[in-house]
Amino acid sequence: MSTQNKQVPYRFGEKLRTVRERKGYTLKMIAQQAGVSESLVSQIERNRVSPAIDTLLTLADVLDINLEFLFEEYRRDRPVHVIHKDERRRMEEDEVVYEELAKPVEKDGEHAMECYILTIPPHGHTHRGSYGHLGREFGYIIEGEARFQYESTNYELKAGDSISFSASSPHMVYNDSDVEMKAVWVVTPPQRFS
């Protein structure tokens, strides 16, 4: 099978060429700075060859390209996303803790969501939903008790209870008890970890 017909699995070429042209660099300039042939850079840009990782990293460095930008298609093509317990992003707002369980995926568009463990200390409460926002939310109480205030109505929730609602109205989660409250919370579109 010839190199011409061989399919290149990851297509970096268009991105490299677009950035190079935007910066006004010629193939020759990039090739010289990267220490490779002009022909190789041209073939990479046309997705005729898949570059060795050190060549790709050198080209990215010469063009000052963020590697996330180069590899985003590769990451997007993965249908399963795993977040290990010790790798969760964590955010604190006063003493309320949010631990990310699912990352928003940009390509999901209007279906993008975030999911986190919400931990509210005794006599604490959330703040962000106090003005409302677009989308929907779902919560499931794992431990403790919560008082959910939606506009001017309060709902008492115990471990095992769940709640779902339009997020467009003001809403807050309160822990009025003397013990910590934990819940799994899902928000779409993402608000906190986006």
Side-chain angles (χ1 to χ4, degrees), residues 9-10 12 15 66-83 87 89 100 103-108:
Y10 306 114
F12 305 110
K15 290 184 175 190
N66 183 326
L67 293 178
E68 286 287 320
F69 170 70
L70 269 185
F71 286 96
E72 66 185 347
E73 275 81 25
Y74 170 71
R75 294 177 68 152
R76 270 194 213 138
D77 290 340
R78 293 186 167 204
V80 176
H81 301 274
V82 174
I83 299 176
E87 296 172 351
R89 286 193 293 178
E100 186 177 47
K103 290 183 182 188
V105 179
E106 198 174 302
K107 77 168 189 165
D108 287 349

Side-chain angles (χ1 to χ4, degrees), residues 112-116 133-134 136-138 167 185-192:
M113 66 168 195
E114 66 184 353
C115 180
Y116 47 82
H133 55 84
L134 291 174
R136 294 198 58 80
E137 294 190 25
F138 165 84
W185 219 261
V186 180
V187 180
T188 181
Q191 299 292 314
R192 193 165 307 278

Side-chain angles (χ1 to χ4, degrees), residues 47-181:
N47 293 307
R48 295 286 173 91
V49 297
S50 190
I53 192 69
D54 59 336
T55 303
L56 183 62
L57 293 174
T58 302
L59 289 170
D61 190 46
V62 167
L63 290 166
D64 194 26
I65 295 176
N66 183 326
L67 293 178
E68 286 287 320
F69 170 70
L70 269 185
F71 286 96
E72 66 185 347
E73 275 81 25
Y74 170 71
R75 294 177 68 152
R76 270 194 213 138
D77 290 340
R78 293 186 167 204
V80 176
H81 301 274
V82 174
I83 299 176
H84 295 284
K85 182 179 179 179
D86 58 343
E87 296 172 351
R88 289 183 193 148
R89 286 193 293 178
R90 182 182 163 102
M91 185 180 293
E92 291 187 35
E93 193 173 80
D94 290 333
E95 293 181 346
V96 176
V97 178
Y98 303 84
E99 290 180 81
E100 186 177 47
L101 295 175
K103 290 183 182 188
V105 179
E106 198 174 302
K107 77 168 189 165
D108 287 349
E110 67 184 45
H111 302 293
M113 66 168 195
E114 66 184 353
C115 180
Y116 47 82
I117 293 176
L118 171 65
T119 304
I120 304 178
H123 308 287
H125 61 87
T126 60
H127 300 277
R128 277 215 179 156
S130 59
Y131 299 105
H133 55 84
L134 291 174
R136 294 198 58 80
E137 294 190 25
F138 165 84
Y140 174 78
I141 308 302
I142 303 170
E143 296 174 10
E145 298 179 359
R147 175 170 55 90
F148 179 77
Q149 183 179 352
Y150 190 82
E151 295 177 342
S152 59
T153 305
N154 287 291
Y155 301 86
E156 298 300 322
L157 304 170
K158 296 182 185 319
D161 292 346
S162 61
I163 189 166
S164 61
F165 56 94
S166 166
S168 59
S169 292
H171 53 278
M172 304 263 282
V173 182
Y174 292 86
N175 180 0
D176 297 328
S177 75
D178 294 326
V179 297
E180 187 176 78
M181 188 282 306

